[in-house]
Amino acid sequence: MADAELKEKLIEDITLLKYVGINPVVVHGGGQAINKTLDRLNIESNFIDGLRVTDKDTMEIVEMVLSAQINKEIVALMNKMQAKAVGISGKDGSLIRAKKKEFSDPAKDLGFVGEVDQINPELVEKLIEDGYIPVIAPVGVNEKGETLNINADSVAGELAAALKAEKLIYLTDVDGIRYDAADESTRVSQLTFSEIKEWIADGKIKGGMLPKVEGCMQAVESGVIRTHILNGLVAHPLLLEIFTDQGVGTMILKD
């Protein structure tokens, strides 16, 4: 999403999928854009276990970047290509009911950072039924009415499960999962649940890849037929994965 040309090719992929009868649903993040905006405003970012500590003022900026900037940019690109796209956040139609993310250590507090408590997919289902491509910003609301920032990978996995999607695809900046993260030649084309658990325990899967893998596993457990983690830095990754034998990522399978 940081490369204009690759972004346009990805949007072309999504638009084409709609034209051939597939119903794509897009969930996006925006960490880099959030960082740039906070830096421009001279607001320091602090992290705990790789997750941003988000106070109330920072949450307002996060929501602005996700829901107003990135979301509408994606929607505008799709509509430019004659797709019917609608941008929403998890707050619309009570799509995402969230809860505060807690740690076993009470000294750790991320502020307005949450995790999915419940997905209410009715709005997304209605948009699909009416021929639209839903584009979703990963913010939700808790029972107090507070807005919470949620990891986009987690939202995608939960939403795929709630929609009973046939396929869940994560796009990242590496070519799937590697036995050795530093060696491109060690990419594996598929991993089973038991192998994933071993790799997590051994530290081979960690950091930003972890919520993607967990999202894939949860989606498969909930009935999603296929889940993939693909390299978004190649042109047309979705078309390559769906319509050709040229793999650009890793498929997650039950044992």
Side-chain angles (χ1 to χ4, degrees), residues 8-22 24 26 74 77-85 133 238-239:
E8 189 158 324
K9 292 184 183 302
L10 174 62
I11 301 301
E12 288 175 358
D13 282 13
I14 296 169
T15 302
L16 180 60
L17 294 182
K18 187 67 175 178
Y19 277 125
V20 300
I22 296 172
V26 179
I74 295 171
L77 279 171
M78 288 185 179
N79 289 336
K80 177 184 174 184
M81 295 180 187
Q82 307 304 310
K84 291 169 58 181
I133 300 174
L238 300 182
L239 300 187

Side-chain angles (χ1 to χ4, degrees), residues 34 48 56 66 68 88 90 108 114 148 169 184 202 211 222 247:
I34 292 168
I48 295 176
K56 188 172 183 180
L66 289 174
I88 61 174
K108 292 183 177 181
L148 300 178
I169 297 175
E184 294 181 9
D202 292 341
S222 299

Side-chain angles (χ1 to χ4, degrees), residues 52-246:
R52 185 191 308 277
V53 177
T54 306
D55 60 20
K56 188 172 183 180
D57 290 339
T58 303
M59 184 63 236
E60 291 179 359
I61 295 167
V62 168
E63 183 174 17
M64 177 189 72
V65 173
L66 289 174
S67 299
Q69 178 185 330
I70 298 175
N71 187 277
K72 302 314 175 190
E73 179 187 1
I74 295 171
V75 167
L77 279 171
M78 288 185 179
N79 289 336
K80 177 184 174 184
M81 295 180 187
Q82 307 304 310
K84 291 169 58 181
V86 173
I88 61 174
S89 80
K91 298 169 74 172
D92 296 305
S94 299
L95 172 59
I96 303 174
R97 190 173 73 189
K99 60 184 178 181
K100 183 178 172 65
K101 189 171 184 65
E102 304 284 359
F103 290 90
S104 55
D105 181 356
K108 292 183 177 181
D109 187 354
L110 292 170
F112 290 84
V113 173
E115 52 192 10
V116 175
D117 187 27
Q118 181 178 329
I119 296 287
N120 302 304
E122 292 84 0
L123 175 58
V124 174
E125 291 169 340
K126 179 62 176 173
L127 289 171
I128 294 171
E129 181 183 323
D130 291 343
Y132 292 96
I133 300 174
V135 181
I136 300 162
V139 295
V141 179
N142 66 11
E143 59 184 11
K144 297 178 182 178
E146 297 170 326
T147 302
L148 300 178
N149 182 28
I150 309 171
N151 181 280
D153 297 326
S154 300
V155 170
E158 296 272 6
L159 183 59
L163 291 171
K164 297 180 172 55
E166 290 193 24
K167 187 184 289 282
L168 169 64
I169 297 175
Y170 287 106
L171 291 176
T172 184
D173 57 359
V174 294
D175 53 347
I177 302 173
R178 302 171 183 171
Y179 184 81
D180 179 351
D183 186 349
E184 294 181 9
S185 67
T186 63
R187 175 180 69 85
V188 292
S189 59
Q190 62 183 45
L191 275 176
T192 64
F193 280 22
S194 59
E195 290 171 326
I196 288 169
K197 291 172 183 175
E198 289 178 10
W199 284 32
I200 291 173
D202 292 341
K204 294 186 179 71
I205 298 175
K206 57 186 177 180
M209 188 61 74
L210 196 53
K212 293 177 176 61
V213 169
E214 290 172 343
C216 285
M217 294 173 71
Q218 179 180 354
V220 170
E221 289 281 17
S222 299
V224 175
I225 298 172
R226 291 181 181 273
T227 63
H228 304 261
I229 299 172
L230 303 186
N231 185 356
L233 299 183
V234 299
H236 302 296
L238 300 182
L239 300 187
L240 287 173
E241 183 62 43
I242 294 173
F243 297 118
T244 76
D245 294 329
Q246 181 181 341

